[in-house]
Amino acid sequence: MSQTTIRIRFSEVDSMQIVWHGAYIKYFEDGRESFGRKYPGMAYMDVYNSGYTTPLVDMQVQYKQPLRYNDTAIIETRFINTKAAKICFEYVIKREQDNVVVAIGSTTQVFLDNEKNELQLLSPDFYLNWKKQWEAE
């Protein structure tokens, strides 16, 4: 699991002074980037330099409580291991001041070959090797 902290910016709130629902997509991305920094080999450029891109094919979000301008939020990102050729994450976003869960969600990404732009039905070798290291930790 990785954690990252963000401060809610004015540009992320709507006319009701709460975080616009679409901003949570960015928060999940912040979580994935944090995960990639903590676990080398899974950062966006690591995957790209291994010959792949990983587009999102599914995302789920459940909103529990609002975040407001200038709140601080903690994004917890958990890798979900699967045998399929995909990368799955789960997220918990908490308001830092009271540790209340404000949103939970998940994303699924698949592997596309950089050269042919083809969906990979089997997990790439670099990913299998990374998962072995991750499981050992």
Side-chain angles (χ1 to χ4, degrees), residues 31-104:
R32 289 191 304 276
E33 287 182 346
S34 172
F35 187 91
R37 285 189 297 274
K38 182 173 180 178
Y39 297 99
M42 285 300 289
Y44 287 137
M45 293 311 296
D46 294 334
V47 174
Y48 182 80
N49 290 333
S50 295
Y52 301 92
T53 57
T54 54
L56 285 170
V57 294
D58 186 59
M59 183 176 70
Q60 304 292 316
V61 184
Q62 293 180 18
Y63 304 98
K64 305 291 186 181
Q65 293 283 321
L67 285 170
R68 300 183 185 282
Y69 171 67
N70 213 31
D71 280 349
T72 304
I74 300 167
I75 304 164
E76 297 177 354
T77 305
R78 289 179 182 78
F79 172 75
I80 306 302
N81 197 0
T82 176
K83 293 184 182 197
K86 58 186 178 181
I87 305 171
C88 300
F89 289 106
E90 289 182 345
Y91 310 89
V92 175
I93 301 177
K94 298 177 182 178
R95 191 171 38 238
E96 186 178 48
Q97 6 330 18
D98 56 10
N99 207 38
V100 167
V101 173
V102 298
I104 60 174

Side-chain angles (χ1 to χ4, degrees), residues 50 52 85-86 111-112 120 122-130:
S50 295
Y52 301 92
K86 58 186 178 181
F111 293 97
L112 292 182
Q120 302 300 292
L122 299 174
S123 293
D125 288 340
F126 89 91
Y127 182 56
L128 294 172
N129 292 332
W130 177 86

